[in-house]
Amino acid sequence: MNAAISSLAVYPLKGAAGIDVDRADVETTGLALRGVGDREWMAVDANGRFVSQRERPELCLVRTAIGDGVLELSAANAAPLALDIRAPGASREVVVWRDRVRGLD
């Protein structure tokens, strides 16, 4: 029996729309595309708690793209947002389910 991959996508922002790709790099933490890992970024609320599609189903409408050192986010009726992946912000505590972890703002 032969296995074949029929489609491949990378999801830079957890819960947002993915990027269909023909190829991706394989790193120790999973797939990556132009230096951005699969589900490497996540949205958090004002209290530092991560936001998922379970609470905010409309998160799936956020489109992602990767430019030259930039993660681009866009959605209908909203201004696009470009995040510099080479210059992360300050470290802060975030809550993912029941775990408290360090993230970069």
Side-chain angles (χ1 to χ4, degrees), residues 6-102:
S6 60
S7 67
L8 184 64
V10 175
Y11 298 83
L13 176 66
K14 183 168 176 48
I19 302 169
D20 291 326
V21 296
D22 293 328
R23 59 180 300 220
D25 296 320
V26 178
E27 299 182 349
T28 57
T29 56
L31 295 177
L33 180 63
R34 293 191 288 276
V36 178
D38 190 55
R39 295 170 182 89
E40 184 174 335
W41 292 71
M42 68 179 161
V44 298
D45 64 16
N47 298 316
R49 184 178 179 284
F50 100 104
V51 178
S52 76
Q53 280 188 30
R54 290 177 184 168
E55 297 88 23
R56 302 297 302 260
E58 65 272 22
L59 187 58
C60 72
L61 300 175
V62 175
R63 292 179 305 279
T64 57
I66 300 171
D68 185 27
V70 175
L71 173 60
E72 300 167 356
L73 307 178
S74 61
N77 301 319
L81 178 63
L83 304 169
D84 187 342
I85 62 174
R86 297 168 294 199
S91 175
R92 68 177 284 189
E93 183 176 273
V94 294
V95 178
V96 181
W97 302 119
R98 295 182 181 170
D99 296 319
R100 294 183 181 277
V101 298
R102 299 303 297 176

